[in-house]
Amino acid sequence: MNVTELYLLGRRLQKIAEAAIPAEGVGEHPTSTSTVLIVADDVRDHPGTTVTEISKRTGLVQSQVSNCVARLRDAGTVRAEPDPSDRRRTLLHPSADVSPRAREIRDAPLEPALADATTDVPETLALLDRLAVLLRIEG
């Protein structure tokens, strides 16, 4: 496999994951769910971060990150607090409790989306589980 094939595989897996995310009751938002997940993952990996820092790490524009943070705060997934050393800055932390929306996304079944993309769902799930272990991906 070369870099191009790996990139295309990643994009395909992302599209399958996006198709599996429940969208009912979410309403209209200026940011996509995948963008929100990128920001949530970054906050989890970098507690005490800022919107500017997330923007630099992810390559997302600052307004996208701000919109994502607003959605994550509304969902109870991220909490914000003033920086004690610079009150103009806001530090972002993952919430201790998993929000109902995050739980809904985490518990969404992958099988229906995989059924549209593969002929052998159980084997594909087993391979994805093995790949996650090999890549040290934590849930």
Side-chain angles (χ1 to χ4, degrees):
M1 175 175 286
N2 63 38
V3 172
T4 301
E5 292 168 327
L6 180 62
Y7 176 80
L8 293 174
L9 175 61
R11 290 286 299 145
R12 181 76 172 123
L13 290 172
Q14 183 177 357
K15 295 228 178 265
I16 292 168
E18 288 172 356
I21 295 171
E24 188 174 315
V26 173
E28 292 296 318
H29 292 283
T31 53
S32 71
T33 300
S34 60
T35 306
V36 173
L37 291 173
I38 290 167
V39 172
D41 188 53
D42 191 87
V43 172
R44 188 190 74 209
D45 290 345
H46 303 95
T49 192
T50 66
V51 168
T52 301
E53 292 165 347
I54 295 169
S55 180
K56 287 178 184 174
R57 280 190 298 270
T58 63
L60 298 170
V61 296
Q62 204 158 347
S63 61
Q64 280 181 302
V65 175
S66 293
N67 286 329
C68 291
V69 167
R71 284 180 66 182
L72 290 165
R73 287 178 72 183
D74 288 347
T77 303
V78 167
R79 62 181 173 78
E81 60 185 39
D83 184 340
S85 64
D86 182 351
R87 300 303 246 174
R88 296 170 294 174
R89 291 175 16 126
T90 300
L91 303 179
L92 304 169
H93 298 274
S95 295
D97 297 324
V98 177
S99 72
R101 176 68 178 148
R103 189 173 293 109
E104 177 186 17
I105 291 170
R106 185 175 294 148
D107 295 343
L110 187 55
E111 289 83 353
L114 276 178
D116 291 337
T118 184
T119 57
D120 192 337
V121 172
E123 182 179 355
T124 303
L125 284 169
L127 290 171
L128 288 172
D129 285 341
R130 178 72 180 132
L131 181 59
V133 169
L134 292 172
L135 295 175
R136 295 181 192 99
I137 299 172
E138 299 173 13

